[in-house]
Amino acid sequence: MTMEFYNLVFMQFERAADGTLTPLPKPSVDTGLGLERLASILQDVPTNYDTDLLRPIIDFTSELCGKPYVYDSPEGFAMRVIADHARSTAFSIADRILPGNEGRNYVLRKIMRRAIYHGRHALGLEDLFFHRVTNFVVDGMRHAYPELEALRDFIERMVKIEEERFGSTLSLGLARLDALFATTEQKAMPEYGELARLYDTFGTPRDLIRVGLEERGFAVADEEYNEKFDAALRELQQASVRGGAGGEARAKTKAIYGEVARHVGKRSEFTGYEGTQLMGARVVALIKADEEVAELHEGEEGEVVLDRTPFYAEAGGQVGDTGTLVGANGLHIVVNDTVAPSRASSSIGRASGEAW
């Protein structure tokens, strides 16, 4: 048997859309030999997951759930997902990438939630567990990467926050998803409008919806899934706006926005035409996981409703503004997006960050 353990790629040209080849200013050579592939060869094991880089994490997860690791089993697959994603999570947070809704922050949130889902769904780990796995990663990697040890407490806190947030919607989301498939014709994929309703009305995470589809044999390419899901979600929300004249009816079907609109009493005053900075704005409401809360803690993500704001809310094809909220005692919040879920009430900024 012959096994390829790496290959060489000679990069010499840039190929244009019409097929034209232009010589690169600095040709180079790349090799596909990665650390894990080399380790699997030197340690004479069949897969990367059997190396001493990943197998200890798998074994630790096996001990947590009290189930043996069997490669060709749903439990074994779940353990590999958790091991791989726990390592990525620990290193990402150490690099100050926090779970969020955009770019690399969204990628981190996605892999964290996938690992947590597999732990609960396939391994029966109902209590918080993922922070224990990332802690184990720090134990194993801290000598080579001392920054992991230096940020151990921060990593654990961020993972706990995300796991708690996701856990609060996971049980309800799974129940809603199962109910939808129970009413769907056998072997038929549900309509995207119904999938979007699970997300918009009941808060079922779209990543969880995607995993549910995959488990039932509906493999959809990322681009196609996101495009059709977003289109269905826009239609659902536009229908909600057309369906009622009151602020609550226009609140993108989420009850919390209607509740906030009622007690705030008026929409946020937009000051963006006068300038992009504003002093003295007042927080009139905080929302976390579809519930109004009294406070948000360091590293948490939530929604902030202001009485006045220079942030333009997503509308008319323009994306919502991003920026920062700065307050007393070193408070510093990163605003990832700004929306107006109820045009009769307040603009809401989805904000995540940490206090410096």
Side-chain angles (χ1 to χ4, degrees):
M1 181 182 70
T2 302
M3 181 180 72
E4 174 191 295
F5 60 91
Y6 82 96
N7 54 63
L8 294 176
V9 180
F10 295 86
M11 292 175 285
Q12 186 175 358
F13 299 102
E14 177 186 3
R15 183 188 297 273
D18 62 0
T20 303
L21 297 178
T22 303
L24 295 173
K26 294 183 179 180
S28 59
V29 180
D30 183 33
T31 173
L33 179 62
L35 173 63
E36 289 155 349
R37 188 182 295 186
L38 179 60
S40 66
I41 295 169
L42 295 176
Q43 295 171 22
D44 193 24
V45 292
T47 72
N48 292 348
Y49 290 100
D50 294 300
T51 65
D52 59 5
L53 296 169
L54 284 167
R55 185 56 186 264
I57 311 174
I58 292 174
D59 291 339
F60 179 77
T61 306
S62 174
E63 293 177 9
L64 281 182
C65 67
K67 297 180 180 181
Y69 173 62
V70 179
Y71 185 87
D72 292 320
S73 71
E75 293 81 7
F77 176 78
M79 292 176 195
R80 292 195 296 276
V81 169
I82 291 169
D84 185 54
H85 292 355
R87 189 176 61 168
S88 298
T89 295
F91 277 92
S92 296
I93 295 177
D95 284 340
R96 298 298 177 132
I97 302 171
L98 301 179
N101 293 327
E102 300 290 340
R104 61 184 185 177
N105 306 86
Y106 174 70
V107 173
L108 175 59
R109 166 166 286 171
K110 184 176 180 179
I111 67 172
M112 290 178 70
R113 291 189 167 188
R114 186 173 290 260
I116 295 165
Y117 169 78
H118 279 290
R120 294 196 175 203
H121 184 65
L123 304 181
L125 293 166
E126 295 297 331
D127 296 328
L128 299 181
F129 75 93
F130 196 49
H131 71 282
R132 298 178 63 182
V133 186
T134 55
N135 228 349
F136 183 82
V137 171
V138 174
D139 288 337
M141 303 282 186
R142 61 191 176 93
H143 296 296
Y145 301 94
E147 65 270 23
L148 291 176
E149 179 63 40
L151 292 167
R152 178 192 291 270
D153 292 342
F154 180 71
I155 294 169
E156 181 176 1
R157 186 163 67 253
M158 294 302 101
V159 174
K160 276 187 175 180
I161 289 171
E162 184 63 24
E163 189 167 10
E164 288 170 349
R165 180 187 295 118
F166 185 47
S168 66
T169 60
L170 184 57
S171 298
L172 177 60
L174 287 173
R176 296 290 186 184
L177 193 59
D178 289 340
L180 174 60
F181 278 105
T183 61
T184 303
E185 184 179 346
Q186 189 176 11
K187 296 183 179 180
M189 180 171 167
E191 297 289 336
Y192 275 93
E194 294 300 322
L195 298 177
R197 189 180 302 279
L198 288 179
Y199 169 79
D200 195 56
T201 304
F202 303 111
T204 307
R206 59 191 296 166
D207 293 336
L208 178 58
I209 296 171
R210 176 68 181 276
V211 171
L213 291 174
E214 292 175 349
E215 289 187 334
R216 290 165 175 83
F218 300 109
V220 185
D222 285 344
E223 185 175 349
E224 178 185 355
Y225 175 78
N226 291 329
E227 180 180 342
K228 291 185 176 180
F229 192 100
D230 290 342
L233 183 61
R234 285 194 299 271
E235 175 59 30
L236 185 67
Q237 294 171 347
Q238 289 167 3
S240 175
V241 172
R242 294 192 298 266
E248 186 171 358
R250 292 194 291 267
K252 288 191 177 180
T253 74
K254 287 190 177 182
I256 184 59
Y257 296 145
E259 295 171 10
V260 170
R262 280 196 299 272
H263 79 69
V264 169
K266 63 178 182 178
R267 63 181 300 170
S268 296
E269 177 189 352
F270 178 64
T271 64
Y273 295 119
E274 289 77 39
T276 58
Q277 296 185 11
L278 175 66
M279 299 291 291
R282 185 170 61 90
V283 175
V284 296
L286 296 172
I287 300 171
K288 175 185 174 184
D290 297 335
E291 293 183 359
E292 190 168 0
V293 296
E295 58 185 358
L296 292 171
H297 299 284
E298 178 183 348
E300 289 186 326
E301 180 173 310
E303 299 172 88
V304 181
V305 185
L306 302 173
D307 64 338
R308 296 178 297 140
T309 176
F311 290 84
Y312 180 84
E314 177 182 349
Q318 180 174 326
V319 299
D321 282 343
T322 61
T324 57
L325 301 178
V326 180
N329 301 320
L331 176 67
H332 188 112
I333 298 176
V334 178
V335 178
N336 294 324
D337 190 15
T338 308
V339 298
S342 173
R343 286 290 172 184
S345 62
S346 303
S347 298
I348 291 181
R350 297 190 181 99
S352 65
E354 56 181 290
W356 273 261

